[in-house]
Amino acid sequence: MSDFTLKKGDASLHAELAALWERSVRATHHFVTEEDIVFFRSAVRDGLAALDVHYVERDGRPAAFVAVGGDKVEMLFVDPEFFGLGAGGMLMKLAIEAGARYVDVNEQNTGARGFYEHLGFKTVSRDETDDSGKEYPVLHLALTYGL
């Protein structure tokens, strides 16, 4: 599939993973304002501490990461340099095997929505705003097989 190496994340990587998050968001979330990227940057970095984080590495640096809380994928982000190379699928397989059954996705992020649907997730509900109250509709997805 690839030459990605799966690794367990720790606090020493949180700043680097937050920078990866930002590169990914800038490439995929064209609907998010610059002000909101700044707003979310520290929340993402700080939020990683409470989650189970794994990442894939290529050439000695993180290429993508997944952060799971309980049975929910809270974050999945791939560095744009590695889009389409299997890093996201590899991390979602790990998360699903560990019991993840739910994920949220911005409604406007049609690429991510299609990715999750391809893995067997289906929309079960929708909110008009995100968890911060910002006007980014969020779709709540559940894994439909094996439940």
Side-chain angles (χ1 to χ4, degrees):
M1 172 187 2
S2 69
D3 56 347
F4 293 116
T5 303
L6 181 63
K7 296 195 171 192
K8 175 85 170 113
D10 61 37
S12 69
L13 285 172
H14 291 178
E16 190 172 359
L17 296 181
L20 185 157
W21 163 86
E22 185 171 341
R23 289 189 299 277
S24 183
V25 166
R26 289 184 182 281
T28 58
H29 292 59
H30 303 290
F31 52 92
V32 176
T33 67
E34 183 65 28
E35 178 182 279
D36 286 338
I37 289 173
V38 171
F39 171 84
F40 288 120
R41 185 183 298 138
S42 62
V44 167
R45 184 187 61 241
D46 296 344
L48 290 169
L51 300 169
D52 184 26
V53 179
H54 286 83
Y55 66 103
V56 291
E57 182 179 88
R58 182 184 268 182
D59 301 327
R61 66 184 180 92
F65 74 92
V66 65
V68 178
D71 61 358
K72 184 178 179 190
V73 172
E74 297 289 350
M75 298 183 220
L76 174 70
F77 290 95
V78 178
D79 191 306
E81 181 179 339
F82 302 105
F83 284 176
L85 300 180
M90 184 177 182
L91 290 168
M92 283 302 293
K93 181 176 188 277
L94 174 76
I96 291 167
E97 287 173 354
R101 296 293 177 262
Y102 303 97
V103 65
D104 292 343
V105 65
N106 290 103
E107 187 174 59
Q108 302 101 314
N109 190 349
T110 56
R113 181 181 179 183
F115 170 77
Y116 293 127
E117 289 173 347
H118 176 75
L119 295 176
F121 287 85
K122 300 289 184 221
T123 300
V124 294
S125 64
R126 178 185 184 274
D127 288 329
E128 286 292 323
T129 61
D130 67 12
D131 290 341
S132 302
K134 296 192 178 287
E135 295 184 9
Y136 300 119
V138 173
L139 301 175
H140 305 284
L141 286 67
L143 194 58
T144 55
Y145 67 85
L147 295 178

